Structure formats: structure tokens, C-alpha cells
Amino acid sequence: GQFILKGPLRSESLVLQVDYDDGFAAYLNGTWVTAVNAPAGEPGFDSIASGSHEAGSAERFDLSAHIGLLRRGKNVLAIAGFNTHRASSDMSLKIALGTLPSVCHANFRLQKDGGTLYLVAPDGSIFFSDISMNKDGGGGMILRYDPRSGKTTPFKTDSGKSNGLMFDAAGQLIGCQGADYGKRRIASWNIQTGEEKLVAGRFNGKQFNAPNDAVVHPDGSIWFTDPGYGSLMNYEGNKAKTGTVQPIQKEAVYRIDGQSGKLTQVTDEIFKPNGLCFSPDYKKLYVADTGSSHYPEAKKEIKVWDVANSTSLRNGKVFASMDLEMEEKDANGLVQKVVKAGQADGIRCDEDGNIWSSAGWVGAGYDGVHVFEPKQGKRIGQILLPEICSNVCFGGTKRNRLF
């Protein structure tokens, strides 16, 4: 199919949506861009699919690496469809090509009690929460850094103790508002007017503990964590006097439907869910568990679930341990190997599926950023910093700069 691009593309994100049976190969302006169950080599008119797939649920494919193929004026998107048998008559293809705000598809997200939350906005600005800062000593602030001018200005001088921030597909700023001076809810802001709206405030008739971090799925749904830290310390106001490490209800991960606004709990099989991010294909959700801060039996780890039908989670398991074998000198000056473990906090997935995790609360040789490969969760790199790192985010024009 042909389409016309009348002006410059105001997005760095290109997404192909396909509902197919049984396979396909996609070409943009004559260049192959993606395929599923396609035969090897150049497809012919009678080629068959290499595997089966039933239509009925559209999948989205990230084509951002190929956005340079688009040109002003006429463009051509060609799709070759394949069935598992030449005699079969149930082949199906429903196709859509579009863009999203760059931060939506790339899952820029960050958060942590006491940390700075960096977030690249659709116009290239960086929004971040300062949980404790407020001119009146109250509800925290959201600030905006413009990399073009180098200036930082307040966006909201009373943010409701905002923590994790994220943009949705409409360019609205989504924020996790904390406890006490905050509002224990998910809110959105119009970045042009500053108008604030409630997105979700209660589950099963109860307030949230203190929402912490959020990510946005391409279908518009908002996924967020509620570990309760904002109600468990005086840093964000006043410590809740409930006598439990679950201030209001069990810690959990939630999903807000992008169309109906329906709120569902997707899992509570985790001690204290903190930072979270999707895999590049949105088929996995990674969540940092920092429950060892209050549960002696909790391990310091990152967990992962399969995302089923873009709406629920299944097959939860440990993805990576934050244990690290390090060398240190004993009292006699002899070097010995020891295993230490800090906490993961904000996490981010790159285009190859590697998980970049903030790390801290150990000290020199540990604090900074830890990188884990996607297949076995093995640590493949570190960026050492002189202090605790609580958040990470990819940004820049090519999204290859780590903030």
C-alpha cells in the first residue's frame, strides 16, 4: 500500500501492527523490515509459512531502527502473507503502520524514593521528580530540563510527592503520587497547561500504599508498582502508624486499561515491586523486587513475567540476582572474595533485550549500573559510580545516551 508523508516525521518511533495468519514479511520502500514465520530467502508467490499462528489478536513490531527509510512524499509498505498449506483458505492479514511519542515505545521510566527520576519528553525535555523538594516543604516537585538551553525550570511546584514518571501515547505526563503529603494515586498532567487529572486512586475500595513507578504499553495501558515506601518513612512526609510493612494493602503490580480505564491487579507474587520495564517486544515484564528492605526472607533480585494478551502476567520467575562476587581486603590486608548484594531500583531494557539496572546500597565496586543479558540474566557489565544510582534511562536523538 502507498501512503504520503507530507512533512518531517515528528517522532523517533515507528510501529507496525499486524493481525496475521500464519506468517508475513514486511518491506518498507523496498527494504525488508520484519517478518514472522516467513520462509527462508526471497519469498515467492507460492511460498508457505514456516510455522502456524492464529489471527484474532494484533501484535506490534518496533520498526524504529528503520525509520530512516521513510521519505517525504510517496512511501510504500508491502506485506507478503504466508499460510501453512497452499490449499488452506484461512490466511488473514490486517495491517497498520504508525508512530508513537518516542518515550512511549521506548519505555522511558524511572523512580525511587529519595531518587531523581529522569524522563525524556516528546519534545526532548527531561522531566524529573524531586520527592523531598518543595518551596513550602510539602508535596515535592517535578522539574523540567531543556537540553537545548541547558535550563531547568519547575513544572509543578506541588507534585503530590510524585515519584516515577512516564509519558503516554497522547503526550500526557503520567506520575506515581506518593503518600502523606502526596495522594497515593496515579495522576496525569497536561504538559502545556499543567492541568492535573486523576487516573486511578483506589483498588478494592482501598487507597494504594504509595505508587512508585510506571510504564506505558503501546495499547495505552499503564502498568505500575505499589510497594508502599512512601508510607514507611518520614522522607516523604510522616511514617504511617499502621504497625505493618503493608501500610494499606498487599504490595502489588497493577494495570490500568488504556480504553476503559479499568484497574486490575496483575500480580502480588512479589515482596515489594519497585522499578519495572517491558522487553522490546512487550512480551515480558521485568520488575525489581526490593522487599528485603522490610522482609528478612526476601532476596535482592529482578523478576520477570510473560505478558499474556497484553493484559495479564504468567510464569513469574527470578530473572537476575543482585548478588555480586567482589574482592576486598581483610584485617591483615589479604585479598579475599566475598559476595555482596545491593538493591536494583529503576530498570531499563535496550533494543537487544539487555536489562540496565540501577544498583546501590553496597559501596565502592558495586554502586552504579549493572547490565544483564536477556537469556539467562547473567551480569555482563557494570558502570561504577561514586554513589548510589537509583534510576537509568536511554535518551538523546538516537536513544543511545544513558541518563
Side-chain angles (χ1 to χ4, degrees), residues 57 217 219 221 223 254-258 264-267 278 282 306-314:
S57 178
H217 190 279
D219 67 4
S221 59
W223 302 58
Y254 297 90
R255 176 186 183 271
I256 305 169
D257 189 83
T264 56
Q265 185 186 97
V266 290
T267 187
F278 287 108
Y282 294 91
D306 294 328
V307 180
N309 300 318
S310 300
T311 60
S312 60
L313 300 179
R314 62 187 181 190

Side-chain angles (χ1 to χ4, degrees), residues 5-280:
L5 192 61
K6 295 182 178 181
L9 191 65
R10 297 181 178 179
S11 176
E12 297 176 358
S13 172
L14 186 65
V15 176
L16 176 68
Q17 179 173 292
V18 188
D19 187 355
Y20 61 96
D21 183 333
D22 286 286
F24 73 92
Y27 301 81
L28 183 57
N29 290 329
T31 298
W32 178 96
V33 288
T34 191
V36 176
N37 294 337
E42 193 75 19
F45 74 94
D46 61 347
S47 296
I48 63 174
S50 60
S52 62
H53 180 275
E54 292 298 322
S57 178
E59 296 182 16
R60 289 187 175 183
F61 301 87
D62 177 17
L63 302 187
S64 299
H66 304 286
I67 202 166
L69 296 174
L70 291 174
R71 55 197 178 215
R72 192 166 185 169
K74 184 185 295 184
N75 293 266
V76 177
L77 174 65
I79 304 288
F82 311 107
N83 216 328
T84 52
H85 302 285
R86 293 185 177 90
S88 179
S89 61
D90 66 344
M91 187 172 72
S92 175
L93 278 174
K94 296 179 181 178
I95 306 153
L97 181 69
T99 62
L100 296 171
S102 59
V103 297
C104 177
H105 119 83
N107 302 322
F108 289 110
R109 37 101 297 77
L110 307 175
Q111 105 340 290
K112 175 57 186 176
D113 303 278
T116 297
L117 320 178
Y118 292 101
L119 179 65
V120 179
D123 67 353
S125 298
I126 297 174
F127 284 66
F128 58 96
S129 294
D130 192 320
I131 298 173
S132 62
M133 181 179 178
N134 185 274
K135 64 180 181 179
D136 299 319
M141 295 182 69
I142 298 176
L143 296 103
R144 181 177 191 166
Y145 170 70
D146 186 343
R148 295 163 296 187
S149 65
K151 294 182 178 179
T152 299
T153 55
F155 170 66
K156 297 295 292 184
T157 56
D158 186 345
S159 68
K161 289 293 183 182
S162 69
N163 198 335
L165 300 172
M166 181 66 189
F167 281 94
D168 65 14
Q172 300 289 307
L173 182 62
I174 305 298
C176 299
Q177 293 182 314
D180 200 7
Y181 291 119
K183 302 173 183 178
R184 291 190 176 94
R185 68 181 195 174
I186 304 298
S188 69
W189 291 273
N190 182 308
I191 61 172
Q192 302 301 323
T193 66
E195 179 185 6
E196 178 181 328
K197 292 183 178 180
L198 169 68
V199 179
R202 291 177 176 271
F203 179 73
N204 283 345
K206 297 180 180 180
Q207 282 189 305
F208 298 116
N209 298 309
N212 189 283
D213 196 12
V215 288
V216 177
H217 190 279
D219 67 4
S221 59
I222 300 168
W223 302 58
F224 68 96
T225 59
D226 184 30
Y229 285 115
S231 299
L232 295 171
M233 61 183 75
N234 291 320
Y235 183 83
E236 295 187 26
N238 296 307
K239 184 177 179 179
K241 299 177 180 180
T242 59
T244 173
V245 297
Q246 297 174 2
I248 298 176
Q249 54 185 312
K250 174 71 176 73
E251 305 92 337
V253 181
Y254 297 90
R255 176 186 183 271
I256 305 169
D257 189 83
Q259 302 300 317
S260 67
K262 180 181 179 181
L263 174 69
T264 56
Q265 185 186 97
V266 290
T267 187
D268 64 357
E269 296 178 351
I270 188 169
F271 287 97
K272 284 193 175 293
N274 205 310
L276 76 169
C277 68
F278 287 108
S279 60

